[in-house]
Amino acid sequence: MYVVRSMLVAVCAALMILVPPCVASPAAAATAVPDERALADFFDAAMADGLAADHVPGAVVSVVGGGKTLFSKGYGLADVENRRPFDPDTSLVRIASITKLFTWTAVMQQVQQGRLDLKADVNRYLTAFRIPATYPRPITLQDLMDHTAGFEDRTIGVGSRSKDDVPPLADYLAENMPARVRPPGEVSAYSNYGAALAGHIVSRVSGQPYDEYVRDHILGPLAMRHSTAAEPVPAPLAADLARSYDYEGGAYRRKPFVFDNLAPDGSVSATANDMAHFMIAHLRDGRFGDQRILDEATARQMHRRTFAADPRIDGYAHGFKEQMLNGHRVLMHDGGWEGFQSGLLLVPDADLGLFVSTNSLSGADALTTIIPAFFDRFLPGKRTVPDGGASVMPVEGFYKLTRSAESSIEKVVALTSSTRLRVEGGKLTFRGSTWSPLGPGLYQQDGGTQRLALVTGGSGAAYVATDGPAYQRVPWWDTPPVNVVIVLLFAVTALTAVLGLPVAAVVGRAGKRPVPRVWRAARVLTGLAAAAGLVFVVLFALVLTGDTSILYGVPADVQAFLVLPLLLLALTVAAIAATVRAWRRAGVLARGHQVVVLAGLLALLWFCRHWNLLGWHL
């Protein structure tokens, strides 16, 4: 099954493969602030090459340093149909998950005012619904900021086609609460729901809807006059909203405006010049000009590391993704939403910030080239390897992303995304790369810069944490090979049943001994169940590998397809009952074959139930 592109694209992980290899060295020295001419030369060349090569209509960029905007410029087209060029001052882009930085800033504002406590149970601030006490330790705001709340992931129905289709945030959060699948604080698993929950809490304690709060307490003080957290974009700004595209068949196909049902996780639309103001404020400890969005102490607190699965790999700093690039500590976030791909990177030790956004699905490819090239040109250096960590032995097996579903039909995506970890001669093979030992329980990607740490959770789960996402080891019954074998064994036995029905009918007519009617009924029911199962397997393979979007909910054809497992269940139960009644009426070989086919049917039913395909788990 194809799941709609997540709001967090993997730009940060991909770009790290492209920068020079990690070497233990002293921290990078302070870097001189680049001048406008050097920045213009770099981006003019990079955009000319990158946009054309990746079929991206346009892009916009801003760079800040020393408390001011050093460079900003638009490239290509913000609107292909109307030939409207990108303008860093007026063209709004949908920054998607970078919105979370506004949400986390709002949380810290309320912490500063004493209305919120990062260590308190989030239920303290909720009235319309409660987070269930699945584990002894409650979820805190700090867990939400670090993406360690332990929620499963849910993508079904996160978007709406119109404003009228968007439910009130509190209602959506209550009715679409993801299951808690691991103890809080154990490992990171990126959660859009967690960010939206934090935004809702800000609204609760401040008494303002999220978009109004952001307008009054962040956009206004930062003079971000061409930006908004409202959807749809207000009329005075709507004409300047850039359009997004996919490139198919040699032409650009425009993407629709999708409303975000979890607004605090991705609803902001902003210009590059406005985003420069936001970057300056964070680089200047909360100050922009004579205005402040955070006091100095709170801003510095926000920029301190708050979670890492292992101290030697990248982690989180109050919602900022923390990374080391060319020896520089970078506070960043990226975002992708229906065509727009954006990245924001702050380099505190160089007092430098970069925002870049493209309006095409293939823009992520352009960013993974442009961003590391920017660091190589203006922020050279080498990475360091921090001390600490635990010596954990690698556990071979299959691992899935911690950001995955458990209670919905989306769970089945793990079958196509799980990856095997192997130990070979002291090295690891994982995610298509080889990893060499770098320290106790720590490995370095050969030919790249990502690090991998082996982690054992308090619950006893085995994790692989990288500088990007984290992965959790799955039990043997969840591994792709086991499930492929189950489906193949069913298919073979089912084919013998389906093909055997006409053969049995011919033999029965030619034989001297008639087949008892009750046994014939059992065989027919078994054959029908096998046929239903085979149809299900074929359609399931098509859905799993096809282009099925669940952005607005599970499509009607997929919901209709889910009737098949229920039909399979009914026919199998009827076939088992008929087989029991007719057991003494059949020969040994016929009974043996019947048992084998029924076992295959039961195995497929287990598969359907285990992967939430038996019924409508939406």
Side-chain angles (χ1 to χ4, degrees), residues 275-486:
M275 291 303 295
H277 298 180
F278 183 77
M279 291 190 290
I280 290 169
H282 271 284
L283 287 169
R284 294 275 142 163
D285 293 329
R287 179 172 58 85
F288 177 75
D290 59 357
Q291 297 290 316
R292 276 197 170 275
I293 55 172
L294 293 171
D295 64 32
E296 184 175 337
T298 305
R300 290 186 175 183
Q301 176 190 0
M302 184 175 181
H303 297 160
R304 287 198 293 267
R305 171 179 281 205
T306 48
F307 178 82
D310 184 290
R312 299 165 297 179
I313 64 173
D314 297 333
Y316 281 96
H318 292 92
F320 279 97
K321 176 63 179 171
E322 181 192 53
Q323 291 196 314
M324 291 295 294
L325 297 176
N326 287 3
H328 298 272
R329 179 174 182 259
V330 178
L331 299 174
M332 62 86 64
H333 213 292
D334 57 352
W337 182 240
E338 290 308 287
F340 290 99
Q341 310 288 341
S342 307
L344 180 149
L345 301 94
L346 304 178
V347 192
D349 72 355
D351 193 19
L352 203 64
L354 167 66
F355 173 78
V356 59
S357 182
T358 66
N359 60 342
S360 170
L361 290 175
S362 56
D365 297 328
L367 296 188
T368 58
T369 301
I370 291 170
I371 292 175
F374 174 86
F375 272 78
D376 287 347
R377 172 66 179 82
F378 299 107
L379 294 160
K382 296 179 180 180
R383 296 183 71 187
T384 62
V385 181
D387 296 327
S391 180
V392 178
M393 297 300 295
V395 181
E396 291 191 318
F398 278 87
Y399 288 73
K400 67 177 181 180
L401 283 165
T402 53
R403 185 188 181 185
S404 59
E406 293 292 339
S407 65
S408 73
I409 189 176
E410 294 177 80
K411 178 181 179 181
V412 77
V413 174
L415 275 178
T416 59
S417 60
S418 296
T419 187
R420 175 175 282 173
L421 183 145
R422 291 187 175 94
V423 181
E424 299 176 351
K427 292 189 175 185
L428 305 183
T429 57
F430 186 69
R431 301 298 298 179
S433 296
T434 303
W435 307 72
S436 298
L438 191 60
L442 183 70
Y443 293 80
Q444 169 72 47
Q445 182 186 32
D446 291 348
T449 64
Q450 284 209 56
R451 294 162 298 186
L452 177 158
L454 305 170
V455 179
T456 301
S459 59
Y463 298 104
V464 168
T466 72
D467 284 321
Y471 303 82
Q472 180 175 359
R473 188 173 184 270
V474 300
W476 64 267
W477 55 84
D478 274 359
T479 61
V482 169
N483 283 270
V484 168
V485 168
I486 288 173

Side-chain angles (χ1 to χ4, degrees), residues 136-202:
R137 173 158 135 29
I139 294 172
T140 67
L141 278 165
Q142 189 66 70
D143 294 322
L144 300 183
M145 299 180 92
D146 296 336
H147 296 280
T148 58
F151 287 124
E152 68 170 337
D153 193 44
R154 285 185 62 87
T155 304
I156 296 172
V158 297
S160 289
R161 291 183 172 87
S162 71
K163 177 65 175 176
D164 293 339
D165 293 334
V166 179
L169 181 58
D171 293 349
Y172 188 88
L173 291 171
E175 295 168 8
N176 296 273
M177 187 182 299
R180 297 182 63 185
V181 296
R182 65 180 60 88
E186 183 160 293
V187 70
S188 63
Y190 189 82
S191 175
N192 289 319
Y193 182 92
L197 179 61
H200 169 66
I201 288 173
V202 169

